[in-house]
């Protein structure tokens, strides 16, 4: 029996023969792990209509879930024998064991509503765990708003691939997507734009159709609960002080100009950034604190990318702030935001993540750097004492083309910028040139789904898969060669199909 697991476990021994399961399936579990078993039971019920009986730990069962102390934070051991057993030290590890067990069965276990009488599972022994603790996906819900159901669906896909972070990019020039009750215009005004580019930005065409939406506190709670069941950590991002035109449209006094602005209707980098007054800094504090409170204990991403200094350079108010702080370079002004937000977040139990540009104005070494401009930025960050998350655009921007063909849908970067899954599979989580003594600084990596050119769920699927499947194996830490992975990936597509994922086809090698 073929065993095509994605991502590949660290150790897999396939033994001879199979074990046959039928409904009702009995799962034995200790009381404190009941909810993890329940999620698996719900999955099975939804996929093939089976009944699952969760029985006492010492009762006869088809599947036994045990807590042991030697599997680490996210590891597990899975044995399929007359009785299947999963050993894990944590609920997350157990959940990964169950997720792999599901992959050992037919693809219909990933679908919804198939009729399945029996399941034949290969007898195996698996000993597994990830090499990196940050295995992330980033989703831009600002450029195109994606509803709660779509976000929850992506969380399910992330969990199937044993990824564990979803970074939500909650605001940008083109839209503000999270309700902040003390700043109501952020969503009343900032969550809607009057038009969106048609085709590529360079064509300068507009659809003249209003677009928008936002999450309220209940939506956020729904997303968080859904993610928690699947051991996915949600990382909210408020992007400041650049990418802030939607906020300035809502509250013009936060900007640098006298004239009001609208929520931006073009793609690119707006020059309209927050001003550096006490009001704007206080606004940043307030919003980030509110968002942090909605995500207790989570890392909070404070943006910091692509902040043009044009407006600050011609502002007398900004010049005064520079004098006050003894700054010699206008770019140092950005550090005012970074340092205040960092202090507060760290003092309140939140890790701080930011895009690599924050290093330009100097950032506290405790800020975790998301290195997006290149792998070299990750080396620089690690050398300066930061932990890093690898997110280099050259490999991990899944808004770039999947392939070179002329029939690919319009994507952000034109050819020759192209990222087929094979290139993703070649990606090294450890940046080239990083001294071995600093490898521990690399927390892991994340794949970016920027959505300027992704407006629908189907298109999101197309850009995400199969690249995310390749990425999951890279960041789990068990990649082999493209030749070995390709047939496994091809087999994995039937699971994606069962999940209703509209993935891009895997080309056969020429
Ligand atoms: C750069 S990466 C951006 C985003 C764009 C993206 C498009 C980063 C931190 N900023 O604003 O959406 O490129 O690929």
């Amino acid at each position: 029996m073929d065993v095509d697991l994605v991502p590949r476990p660290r150790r897999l021994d396939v033994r001879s023969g199979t074990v046959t399961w039928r409904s009702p399936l009995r799962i034995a579990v200790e009381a404190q792990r009941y909810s993890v078993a329940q999620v698996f039971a719900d999955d099975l019920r939804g996929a093939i209509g089976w009944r699952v009986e969760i029985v006492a730990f010492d009762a006869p069962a088809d599947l036994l879930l045990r807590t042991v102390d030697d599997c680490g934070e996210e590891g597990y051991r899975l044995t399929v024998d007359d009785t299947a057993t999963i050993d894990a030290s944590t609920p997350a590890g157990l959940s990964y064991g169950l997720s792999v067990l599901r992959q050992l069965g037919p693809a219909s276990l990933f679908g919804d509503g198939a009729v399945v009488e029996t399941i034949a599972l290969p007898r195996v022994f698996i000993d597994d765990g990830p090499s990196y603790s940050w295995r992330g996906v980033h989703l831009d819900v600002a450029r195109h708003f994606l509803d709660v159901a779509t976000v929850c669906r992506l969380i399910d896909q992330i969990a199937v691939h044993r990824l564990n972070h979803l970074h939500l990019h909650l605001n940008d020039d083109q839209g503000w997507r999270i309700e902040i009750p003390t700043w109501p215009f952020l969503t009343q005004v900032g969550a809607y734009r009057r038009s969106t580019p048609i085709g590529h930005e360079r064509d300068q065409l507009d659809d003249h159709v209003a677009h928008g939406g936002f999450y309220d506190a209940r939506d956020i709670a729904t997303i968080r609960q859904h993610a928690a069941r699947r051991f996915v950590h949600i990382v909210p991002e408020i992007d400041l002080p650049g990418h802030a035109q939607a906020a300035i449209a809502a509250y013009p006094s936060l900007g640098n100009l006298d004239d009001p602005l609208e929520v931006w209707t073009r793609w690119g980098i707006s020059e309209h950034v927050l001003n550096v007054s006490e009001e704007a800094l206080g606004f940043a504090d307030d919003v980030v604190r509110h968002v942090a409170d909605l995500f207790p204990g989570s890392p909070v991403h404070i943006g910091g990318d692509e902040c043009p200094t044009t407006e600050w350079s011609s502002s007398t108010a900004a010049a005064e702030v520079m004098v006050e702080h003894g700054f010699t370079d206008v770019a140092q002004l950005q550090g005012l935001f970074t340092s205040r937000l960092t202090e507060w977040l760290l003092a309140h139990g939140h890790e701080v993540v930011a895009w690599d540009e924050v290093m330009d104005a100097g950032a506290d070494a405790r800020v975790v750097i998301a290195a997006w401009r290149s792998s070299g930025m990750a080396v620089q960050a690690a050398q300066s004492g930061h932990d890093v998350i690898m997110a280099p655009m050259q490999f991990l921007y899944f808004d770039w083309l999947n392939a070179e063909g002329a029939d690919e849908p319009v994507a952000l970067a034109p050819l020759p910028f192209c990222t087929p899954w094979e290139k993703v599979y070649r990606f090294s989580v450890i940046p080239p040139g990083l001294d071995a003594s600093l490898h521990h600084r690399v927390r892991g990596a994340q794949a970016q789904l920027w959505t300027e050119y992704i407006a629908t769920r189907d298109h999101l699927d197309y850009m995400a898969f199969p690249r995310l499947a390749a990425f999951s194996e890279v960041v789990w830490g068990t990649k082999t060669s493209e030749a070995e992975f390709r047939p496994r990936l091809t087999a994995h597509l039937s699971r994606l199909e069962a999940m209703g994922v509209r993935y891009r086809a895997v080309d056969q090698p020429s």
Side-chain angles (χ1 to χ4, degrees):
M1 197 170 183
D2 285 340
V3 179
D4 295 305
L5 305 173
V6 176
R8 191 178 75 89
R10 226 182 252 164
R11 174 174 168 195
L12 162 67
D13 300 342
V14 180
R15 297 170 175 169
S16 64
T18 57
V19 174
T20 303
W21 278 3
R22 41 180 57 83
S23 179
L25 192 77
R26 291 157 307 166
I27 305 181
V29 61
E30 302 133 296
Q32 89 256 29
R33 297 286 188 261
Y34 181 85
S35 60
V36 185
Q38 192 67 54
V39 172
F40 181 75
D42 289 348
D43 287 343
L44 224 56
R45 193 176 307 119
I48 55 173
W50 280 21
R51 261 195 316 126
V52 177
E53 291 167 2
I54 299 182
V55 301
F57 189 60
D58 48 7
D62 304 291
L63 171 61
L64 175 61
L65 308 180
R66 296 190 301 207
T67 303
V68 296
D69 59 11
D70 62 341
C71 282
E73 273 304 306
E74 296 181 296
Y76 65 92
R77 277 188 302 272
L78 163 61
T79 310
V80 176
D81 219 324
D82 292 340
T83 302
T85 310
I86 301 175
D87 287 347
S89 304
T90 62
L94 190 55
S95 162
Y96 290 141
L98 288 165
S99 161
V100 169
L101 184 62
R102 194 167 163 209
Q103 289 199 4
L104 290 173
S108 55
L109 296 190
F110 290 84
D112 134 36
V115 177
V116 172
E117 289 291 318
T118 59
I119 296 176
L121 296 171
R123 291 177 193 259
V124 295
F125 172 71
I126 294 173
D127 190 358
D128 193 21
S131 301
Y132 299 99
S133 62
W134 191 291
R135 304 182 303 281
V137 176
H138 153 287
L139 179 66
D140 170 11
V141 293
R143 272 51 176 273
H144 279 103
F145 178 64
L146 296 162
D147 64 13
V148 171
T150 303
V151 174
C152 289
R153 181 174 174 269
L154 180 63
I155 289 168
D156 293 344
Q157 295 167 355
I158 286 173
V160 163
H161 294 86
R162 309 207 290 285
L163 299 165
N164 66 356
H165 284 80
L166 174 62
H167 163 182
L168 287 178
H169 183 76
L170 289 166
N171 72 295
D172 214 299
D173 298 312
Q174 299 85 359
W176 187 283
R177 306 288 174 225
I178 183 166
E179 186 174 42
I180 311 291
T182 47
W183 298 85
F185 299 152
L186 285 175
T187 40
Q188 284 174 26
V189 174
Y192 301 92
R193 63 172 175 265
R194 83 186 147 70
S195 180
T196 297
I198 295 177
H200 200 276
E201 168 62 30
R202 65 179 162 263
D203 301 332
Q204 297 280 304
L205 296 172
D206 308 286
D207 71 359
H208 301 293
V209 177
H211 174 88
F214 63 89
Y215 310 119
D216 63 17
R218 276 206 9 227
D219 295 330
I220 295 294
T222 304
I223 291 170
R224 288 191 62 233
Q225 280 159 16
H226 192 87
R229 276 163 59 87
R230 306 253 180 223
F231 300 94
V232 173
H233 308 283
I234 305 287
V235 181
E237 177 189 356
I238 295 298
D239 200 356
L240 299 164
H243 290 282
Q245 187 168 328
I248 299 167
Y251 292 98
S253 62
L254 298 175
N256 294 279
L257 306 177
D258 295 331
D259 296 329
L261 294 165
E262 63 172 358
V263 178
W264 210 23
T265 59
R266 304 247 58 90
W267 307 136
I269 306 169
S270 168
E271 289 200 340
H272 304 304
V273 304
L274 296 184
N275 66 43
V276 292
S277 65
E278 190 48 40
E279 184 199 352
L281 288 159
F283 162 80
D285 288 344
D286 220 41
V287 166
V288 168
R289 289 175 193 196
H290 181 80
V291 171
D293 287 345
L294 288 176
F295 293 88
S298 293
V300 173
H301 195 304
I302 55 171
D305 60 314
E306 299 176 326
C307 182
T309 51
T310 343
E311 289 187 342
W312 292 343
S313 297
S314 50
S315 151
T316 46
E320 282 165 23
V321 176
M322 285 186 65
V323 172
E324 190 188 317
H325 290 275
F327 291 161
T328 51
D329 180 347
V330 71
Q332 289 172 282
L333 289 168
Q334 181 170 344
L336 296 175
F337 289 91
T338 316
S339 58
R340 273 170 69 151
L341 297 174
T342 300
E343 284 304 325
W344 188 89
L345 287 166
L346 289 173
H348 290 80
H350 295 274
E351 273 212 302
V352 182
V353 187
W355 297 113
D356 58 54
E357 286 97 328
V358 296
M359 291 189 293
D360 300 347
D364 189 296
R366 292 169 296 174
V367 174
V368 179
I369 299 296
W372 74 274
R373 285 179 289 179
S374 65
S375 294
M377 295 312 300
V379 175
Q380 185 186 314
Q383 287 171 345
S384 320
H386 297 277
D387 276 4
V388 298
I389 298 164
M390 291 289 282
M393 60 178 171
Q394 298 81 357
F395 292 88
L396 299 182
Y397 270 34
F398 292 179
D399 57 333
W400 290 21
L401 291 165
N402 268 297
E404 288 185 9
D407 46 357
E408 290 300 322
V410 177
L412 181 114
L415 286 171
F417 301 106
C418 180
T419 314
W421 68 262
E422 293 91 334
K423 182 169 181 190
V424 176
Y425 201 70
R426 286 196 292 273
F427 172 66
S428 165
V429 177
I430 298 294
L434 183 67
D435 192 82
S437 65
L438 293 174
H439 286 189
H440 67 281
R441 288 279 176 212
V442 181
R443 296 263 186 107
Q446 69 178 30
Q448 273 53 229
L449 287 161
W450 296 102
T451 58
E452 288 97 327
Y453 296 92
I454 302 176
T456 66
R457 189 186 269 204
D458 282 358
H459 195 183
L460 187 69
D461 284 359
Y462 187 91
M463 300 310 271
F465 291 99
R467 293 187 284 199
L468 211 51
F471 171 72
S472 74
E473 186 152 307
V474 173
V475 74
W476 188 260
T478 52
K479 74 168 168 171
T480 55
S481 65
E482 191 187 310
E484 187 280 329
F485 180 61
R486 181 183 289 273
R488 242 173 342 102
L489 175 62
T490 307
H492 183 65
L493 295 178
S494 59
R495 296 181 193 121
L496 298 181
E497 226 146 86
M499 291 168 77
V501 175
R502 306 292 298 255
Y503 59 86
R504 189 197 180 278
V506 170
D507 298 325
Q508 291 316 305
S510 42

